[in-house]
Amino acid sequence: MTRPTVPTRARGFTTFQMVGAGVATIVCAAWVMPSHTCHSSRSKTHAAHMEANALTHAIRLYLYDHDDVIDSAFSLDRLVGDDELFELYRLREDHIIDPWNRQYLVFVPGVGDAPFNVVSLGKDGKPGGTGQNADIISES
């Protein structure tokens, strides 16, 4: 005689366990996201500082090589794409775009005694501001 089989209980997660895991995931995400967002914005600002300084050096090399003096009509477009330009200061179009997808500006005369400054207007794209919206001005 064979014994009747008793259905075994299905193994899995209870609703309580699933809700607990979901809540834990949401709490962890809420804790990590503000920190990640802060680091992301700081890295864009840092990148803009580095790029503005690199553009300043490229302009200086260009002016030195061409025995030229910078004037208010100078544009970074002069350094883009021309194959006759020397490799040290020849730029691609994406090199003159800041981390917020706006073109860097060249202000002549620059701040203080500087003949010029390369400037990004920050996240908001408007002059002035604080924090992420502050203007980023190259060192001269």
Side-chain angles (χ1 to χ4, degrees):
M1 190 163 203
T2 61
R3 288 176 109 180
T5 58
V6 178
T8 58
R9 187 172 170 176
R11 297 186 189 258
F13 297 106
T14 65
T15 304
F16 183 74
Q17 289 172 323
M18 294 298 287
V19 169
V23 168
T25 302
I26 290 170
V27 168
C28 287
W31 180 54
V32 169
M33 284 307 291
S35 174
H36 173 70
T37 304
C38 180
H39 289 297
S40 174
S41 63
R42 274 191 279 168
S43 65
K44 282 188 176 185
T45 303
H46 182 70
H49 275 285
M50 300 298 287
E51 290 171 357
N53 289 331
L55 290 171
T56 298
H57 293 297
I59 292 170
R60 282 191 185 139
L61 288 170
Y62 173 84
L63 295 173
Y64 178 77
D65 197 34
H66 288 84
D67 293 324
D68 201 357
V69 177
I70 195 163
D71 59 3
S72 59
F74 186 87
S75 170
L76 288 171
D77 293 328
R78 269 194 214 177
L79 304 179
V80 174
D82 187 358
D83 290 336
E84 294 180 16
L85 290 175
F86 189 56
E87 189 176 328
L88 285 176
Y89 49 79
R90 182 179 54 225
L91 303 172
R92 294 190 327 243
E93 284 190 38
D94 61 333
H95 287 158
I96 62 173
I97 304 296
D98 71 9
W100 299 280
N101 293 322
R102 287 184 292 278
Q103 186 168 347
Y104 284 99
L105 306 172
V106 179
F107 288 165
V108 178
V111 177
D113 294 334
F116 67 93
N117 286 114
V118 176
V119 177
S120 168
L121 297 178
K123 182 178 181 181
D124 64 354
K126 298 175 185 172
T130 59
Q132 298 175 32
N133 297 328
D135 296 346
I136 295 153
I137 302 171
S138 65
E139 299 171 8
S140 293

